[in-house]
Amino acid sequence: MIYLPILVVAYTCGILVAAIAKKKYQRAILWTGALIPFFSILLLIGLGLYKPDNFSSLFGVFLALGCSGLMACMAERQFPTRLKVQNDQFTNQNQSSESEEVSPLNKVKLPAKLDTQLARDVFSKAIEAGLMKEKGNHYKWLGTKVQLAYMCGRIYCEDSPQNDQVEDKDIWKFGRTEFFPDSDLNELFEVTDLAQSRQNRKDSPVPQGSNKINVFFE
């Protein structure tokens, strides 16, 4: 049985070449190559068809079992690496997807003069309502300038709509006029003369569509 070690070595080399050539099925090839000689040797010995009664035959048996174990180890050493890469890719995709889903509506960084809890809440509600949107590091107002001035006046100056019973209209009543942050708001929304738009409507009827803005303060 001096041919058994030669057959085992040739068989193992053939399996390794096949596994390298077919990387997609590498694990299956290596495991198949490991199990065939392992169970074949045990079956032949168990049935009495092969009797390892000398050094050469014993060497052949141990070589076959050792090569089987080697191929099995190689199969499991390659597979976890590929599995880890796939899992990492899947995890990264999930994290990216979750990040997009939970990202806040209001991502623009407000300057110190404008950064209040009320402003953040109202701006977020306005984005949800489709009245404004983010544009890089700024906001873009999608309504009229006077509507924007009305909303900002309510945020920063405590302006309010007050009902005029004589004319049966809501009148735009100013709060703290001196605190209207005109330059910061002009830069944030990329507009001009926002304070003037507000001043022109003092004690005048509230702008058309103001009811959509009033709900942000309820």
Side-chain angles (χ1 to χ4, degrees):
M1 287 297 181
I2 194 171
Y3 298 110
L4 182 60
I6 298 175
L7 291 175
V8 170
V9 171
Y11 172 82
T12 302
C13 291
I15 293 296
L16 294 178
V17 170
I20 294 172
K22 300 291 185 179
K23 290 184 178 181
K24 184 177 180 180
Y25 307 102
Q26 191 174 79
R27 183 170 182 258
I29 292 173
L30 288 172
W31 264 114
T32 302
L35 294 175
I36 289 176
F38 180 80
F39 286 109
S40 296
I41 289 293
L42 294 181
L43 183 62
L44 290 173
I45 294 176
L47 295 176
L49 300 177
Y50 180 69
K51 297 180 180 180
D53 50 6
N54 55 55
F55 175 79
S56 178
S57 58
L58 281 174
F59 177 73
V61 170
F62 286 113
L63 181 63
L65 296 178
C67 287
S68 294
L70 175 64
M71 286 185 284
C73 290
M74 290 180 65
E76 289 307 303
R77 186 182 65 180
Q78 296 295 328
F79 181 69
T81 302
R82 295 197 301 272
L83 183 62
K84 182 179 184 301
V85 171
Q86 293 173 354
N87 286 340
D88 289 344
Q89 292 175 345
F90 181 74
T91 301
N92 290 337
Q93 290 174 355
N94 281 347
Q95 289 176 345
S96 176
S97 176
E98 290 173 0
S99 176
E100 292 176 359
E101 291 175 0
V102 301
S103 61
L105 289 171
N106 196 358
K107 294 180 291 187
V108 174
K109 183 174 178 60
L110 297 177
K113 284 186 178 180
L114 304 181
D115 192 9
T116 66
Q117 185 60 51
L118 178 61
R120 291 193 295 270
D121 292 343
V122 172
F123 289 163
S124 293
K125 292 176 182 178
I127 292 173
E128 289 181 337
L131 291 180
M132 57 186 275
K133 64 180 181 180
E134 294 173 348
K135 181 183 176 184
N137 295 325
H138 301 274
Y139 286 126
K140 180 176 178 60
W141 181 255
L142 302 177
T144 64
K145 185 187 291 188
V146 69
Q147 289 175 338
L148 176 59
Y150 176 75
M151 183 182 74
C152 292
R154 293 209 59 181
I155 294 173
Y156 296 107
C157 298
E158 299 179 1
D159 293 358
S160 62
Q162 296 183 15
N163 185 259
D164 187 322
Q165 296 182 353
V166 176
E167 297 186 12
D168 193 24
K169 294 180 179 179
D170 285 339
I171 303 301
W172 187 345
K173 291 295 183 180
F174 284 8
R176 300 174 299 170
T177 305
E178 66 276 12
F179 291 110
F180 190 78
D182 182 50
S183 58
D184 292 287
L185 287 170
N186 285 335
E187 183 177 352
L188 180 64
F189 286 92
E190 296 184 306
V191 297
T192 58
D193 301 325
L194 196 60
Q196 188 61 47
S197 295
R198 174 174 175 267
Q199 187 63 35
N200 291 342
R201 297 298 294 266
K202 183 177 181 180
D203 295 329
S204 298
V206 295
Q208 186 176 3
S210 60
N211 57 315
K212 296 179 180 179
I213 298 172
N214 293 335
V215 297
F216 302 154
F217 298 87
E218 295 177 352

